[in-house]
């Protein structure tokens, strides 16, 4: 299969910049090619989006009323659900994720589209008190053309939360999916066209980050950028956008801690801790990849986790085991090198899972690994692995736990396991993170809940109503009437 860009509701590959091979992570074989977009392709997409909006929001997309946008988004969501199997299979083949994970991604995408469809006609400005003789009001306008740079780990969910919210707010979108996960996003743009989105409302340009991604970040026609990806790339995108004062939402990496206190309900906590780090083969920005346990129950918790980790299996996506392969050869080598380095540095492995016998030797499989007594300053406790690797360490008291938890450059999410209500509230306040889960982990998956980081995990919020407001521009109108 040869995939082109999807611009103005048409498949195009006009810039002739070459192609990028697409590999199946379960066996390393090439099965498709995508277009390698460049600045000309991005330019075409931005102009298509501008045309859809019109000079004064009078274009075929710009002039639609909120309720008309809402109806289109509801139709989009329904069409996604109707094609659930097709989309999940495409995603599993392209990214290696287990089929059940890909199915969840489709369901969550459909929920995002429904949520934002429902919100289109429910956000509004205000009237403000001001000097006598004036009426002052605010209105929330679309920003214009928004750019969306998407990573490979949850392409459909991230499309839903950023593109869904932006379309609901009345913007036209140019999307640059990751070079390792473009197929579902291209299909989604095609489905949007099928359900009636006018040409130019939603455009997808595929390609490498340093070509198409950089061109999108720097394009003067883009009024807002939503970037989800690594901290290093986020810095580059924000820098390019700053040159022309373009607002950016950065959803970056994490090294999220789970804190387990001596009074925790371990029957609840243990499965959640395992799932939080192996879900999507650990390629989750909010993975609970650091485990901090009160010293009095440290051995007990490790024993139970050892049991859990030993049972974990990685295997082909269609077998729906605990994990599929990692996304690509580079990520595979990277995770293996991190595990090897930690071992070479003397850090002990408490448990590891297995790779299913049916897996090919050429696939990018990585078994789950539980490291114990990880020194807090070691890179294994500081840097994102983006693989199914958990770094466990003990703490002595609450203050120590907070110090360890906050002791990285990141601040995306955090989990706290304790039955003590006062401690729950204290910790929720003290932990530096965009979301704190108490006696659960991963509630951030809820489409209604604002999500984003602090420190090097980024800024701005996506998901929930908060995201919708972020995709609007607030205008204040002061009328003097005497
Ligand atoms: P990445 O930064 O390499 O790539 C992300 C996207 O940016 C891709 O589409 C890529 O093509 C593009 N890109 C690369 N270089 C670019 C450049 N110079 N200019 C513009 N765009 C460029 O990240 P990745 O490896 O694909 O994804 C993994 C990272 O994403 C992890 O660090 C993870 O934590 C993070 N992530 C964060 C969230 C979140 O919501 N906070 C969600 C998912 C992933």
């Amino acid at each position: 299969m040869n995939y082109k860009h999807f611009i103005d509701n048409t498949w195009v590959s006009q810039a002739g910049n070459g192609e990028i091979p697409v590999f199946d992570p379960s066996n390393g074989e090439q099965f498709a090619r995508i277009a390698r977009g460049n600045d000309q392709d991005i330019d075409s997409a931005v102009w298509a989006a501008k045309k859809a909006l019109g000079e004064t929001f009078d274009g075929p997309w710009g002039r639609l009323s909120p309720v008309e946008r809402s109806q289109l988004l509801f139709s989009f969501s329904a069409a996604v659900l109707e094609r659930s199997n097709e989309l999940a299979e495409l995603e599993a083949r392209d990214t290696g994720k287990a089929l059940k994970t890909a199915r969840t991604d489709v369901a969550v995408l459909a929920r995002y589209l429904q949520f934002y469809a429902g919100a289109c006609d429910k956000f509004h400005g205000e009237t403000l008190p001001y000097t006598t003789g004036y009426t002052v009001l605010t209105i929330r306008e679309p920003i214009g053309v928004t750019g969306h740079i998407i990573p490979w780990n949850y392409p459909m969910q991230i499309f839903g939360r950023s593109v869904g919210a932006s379309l609901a707010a009345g913007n036209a979108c140019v999307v640059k999916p990751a070079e390792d996960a473009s197929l579902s996003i291209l299909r989604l743009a095609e489905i949007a066209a099928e359900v009636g989105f006018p040409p130019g409302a939603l455009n997808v340009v595929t390609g490498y980050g340093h070509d198409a991604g950089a061109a999108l970040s720097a394009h003067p026609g883009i009024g807002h950028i939503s970037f989800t990806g690594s901290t290093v790339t986020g810095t580059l995108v924000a820098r390019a956008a700053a040159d022309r004062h373009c607002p950016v939402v950065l959803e970056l990496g994490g090294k999220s801690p789970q804190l387990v206190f001596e009074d925790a309900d371990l029957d609840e906590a243990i499965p959640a801790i395992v799932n939080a780090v192996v879900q999507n083969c650990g390629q989750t920005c909010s993975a609970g990849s650091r485990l901090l346990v009160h010293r009095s129950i440290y051995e007990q918790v490790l024993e139970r986790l050892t049991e859990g980790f030993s049972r974990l299996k990685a295997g082909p996506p269609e077998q729906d085991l605990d994990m599929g392969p990692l996304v690509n050869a580079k990520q595979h080598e990277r995770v293996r090198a991190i595990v090897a380095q930690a071992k070479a540095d003397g850090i002990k492995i408490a448990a590891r899972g297995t790779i299913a016998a049916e897996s090919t030797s050429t696939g990018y499989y990585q078994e789950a690994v539980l490291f114990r007594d990880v020194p807090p300053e070691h890179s294994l406790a500081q840097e994102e692995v983006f693989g199914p690797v958990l770094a466990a360490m003990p703490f002595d008291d609450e203050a120590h736990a907070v110090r360890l938890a906050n002791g990285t450059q990141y601040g995306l999410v955090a989990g706290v396991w304790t039955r003590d209500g006062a401690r729950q509230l204290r910790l929720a306040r003290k932990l530096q993170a965009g979301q704190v889960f108490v006696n659960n982990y991963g509630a951030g998956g809820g489409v209604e809940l604002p999500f984003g980081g602090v420190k090097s995990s980024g800024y701005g919020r996506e998901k929930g109503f908060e995201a919708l407001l972020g995709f609007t521009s607030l205008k204040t109108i002061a009328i003097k009437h005497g």
Side-chain angles (χ1 to χ4, degrees):
M1 279 295 288
N2 260 2
Y3 292 87
K4 299 177 176 180
H5 307 304
F6 196 78
I7 299 173
D8 227 4
N9 283 2
T10 312
W11 292 105
V12 288
S13 60
Q14 75 268 44
N17 194 31
E19 289 169 334
I20 300 174
V22 178
F23 298 98
D24 179 337
S26 72
N27 54 27
E29 285 169 18
Q30 184 184 333
F31 70 98
R33 281 185 295 250
I34 53 170
R36 179 178 171 181
N38 63 11
D39 49 351
Q40 289 174 49
D41 300 305
I42 291 290
D43 201 48
S44 305
V46 173
W47 284 108
K50 278 194 174 298
K51 198 169 54 140
L53 288 170
E55 279 281 304
T56 53
F57 295 106
D58 53 353
W61 171 244
R63 65 170 172 263
L64 294 192
S65 65
V67 73
E68 287 169 321
R69 293 202 300 272
S70 163
Q71 282 158 352
L72 276 175
L73 281 163
F74 273 124
S75 305
F76 193 8
S77 174
V80 161
L81 285 175
E82 273 165 28
R83 293 159 181 79
S84 188
N85 283 341
E86 176 207 332
L87 284 166
E89 281 164 19
L90 187 66
E91 193 75 305
R93 180 121 201 247
D94 199 11
T95 65
K97 60 175 69 196
L99 256 180
K100 60 186 172 193
T101 314
R103 285 202 189 94
T104 303
D105 288 357
V106 179
V108 176
L109 160 64
R111 261 296 289 143
Y112 276 120
L113 297 175
Q114 283 166 5
F115 180 87
Y116 289 116
C120 280
D121 52 359
K122 292 170 195 68
F123 68 94
H124 48 75
E126 295 176 318
T127 53
L128 306 176
Y130 190 53
T131 311
T132 308
Y134 281 77
T135 294
V136 178
L137 51 116
T138 57
I139 54 173
R140 288 201 170 268
E141 297 182 323
I143 293 171
V145 182
T146 56
H148 304 258
I149 301 177
I150 296 184
W152 42 258
N153 58 347
Y154 290 96
M156 288 193 280
Q157 290 203 31
I158 292 166
F159 173 96
R161 78 186 192 202
S162 78
V163 176
S166 184
L167 290 171
N171 302 296
C173 303
V174 177
V175 184
K176 208 302 280 172
E179 48 275 34
D180 287 301
S182 294
L183 307 190
S184 60
I185 304 298
L186 287 167
R187 182 72 182 110
L188 290 175
E190 191 181 34
I191 294 171
E194 283 164 17
V195 302
F197 278 80
L202 169 55
N203 309 279
V204 178
V205 174
T206 56
Y208 290 119
H210 59 270
D211 289 340
L216 183 61
S217 321
H219 198 290
I222 295 286
H224 178 287
I225 295 178
S226 160
F227 173 82
T228 305
S230 62
T231 299
V232 173
T233 310
T235 308
L236 296 176
V237 170
R239 211 171 266 154
D243 278 344
R244 54 197 171 78
H245 315 113
C246 172
V248 181
V249 169
L250 293 181
E251 300 276 5
L252 308 177
K255 190 74 192 176
S256 299
Q258 297 232 50
L259 286 64
V260 185
F261 286 87
E262 61 279 15
D263 61 345
D265 179 342
L266 294 185
D267 291 339
E268 287 271 333
I270 299 290
I273 290 166
V274 174
N275 184 53
V277 73
V278 304
Q279 179 182 319
N280 206 34
C281 207
Q283 302 165 118
T284 302
C285 53
S286 53
S289 53
R290 279 190 300 150
L291 180 67
L292 320 181
V293 187
H294 190 263
R295 202 176 290 280
S296 65
I297 56 164
Y298 185 64
E299 292 304 333
Q300 186 194 350
V301 166
L302 281 188
E303 208 171 292
R304 293 184 65 169
L305 282 175
T306 295
E307 248 174 70
F309 267 70
S310 313
R311 277 199 301 269
L312 292 170
K313 272 195 173 168
E318 64 278 9
Q319 294 218 355
D320 261 349
L321 303 173
D322 304 295
M323 301 178 292
L326 292 162
V327 73
N328 59 27
K330 187 171 146 213
Q331 187 65 11
H332 191 218
E333 275 158 34
R334 195 177 152 267
V335 174
R336 283 154 62 109
I338 291 171
V339 170
Q341 185 61 51
K343 272 170 63 185
D345 291 344
I347 305 180
K348 286 201 189 71
I349 291 182
R352 57 199 317 166
T354 51
I355 295 173
E358 302 80 2
S359 310
T360 61
S361 59
T362 47
Y364 312 135
Y365 296 99
Q366 167 64 50
E367 71 274 26
V369 185
L370 168 63
F371 280 100
R372 59 170 297 157
D373 313 337
V374 180
E377 66 285 356
H378 191 276
S379 57
L380 191 61
Q382 291 290 326
E383 298 302 331
E384 197 173 36
V385 176
F386 233 52
V389 178
L390 181 59
M393 63 200 81
F395 65 80
D396 297 314
D397 55 28
E398 193 178 302
H400 186 205
V402 170
R403 236 179 8 258
L404 289 176
N406 290 341
T408 73
Q409 63 166 320
Y410 298 109
L412 194 53
V413 312
V416 180
W417 297 88
T418 177
R419 290 186 170 99
D420 178 337
R423 182 189 274 152
Q424 291 171 1
L425 289 170
R426 260 195 319 273
L427 278 253
R429 295 293 186 104
K430 286 184 180 172
L431 291 173
Q432 297 166 347
Q435 287 189 332
V436 176
F437 309 131
V438 178
N439 293 335
N440 73 98
Y441 195 89
V447 306
E448 307 86 351
L449 314 181
F451 177 77
V454 298
K455 304 198 288 186
S456 295
S457 290
Y459 47 77
R461 295 291 177 263
E462 290 197 334
K463 303 190 183 182
F465 212 72
E466 197 76 17
L468 193 62
L469 300 182
F471 281 111
T472 63
S473 176
L474 190 72
K475 182 182 277 175
T476 305
I477 303 172
I479 304 161
K480 183 177 178 184
H481 40 66

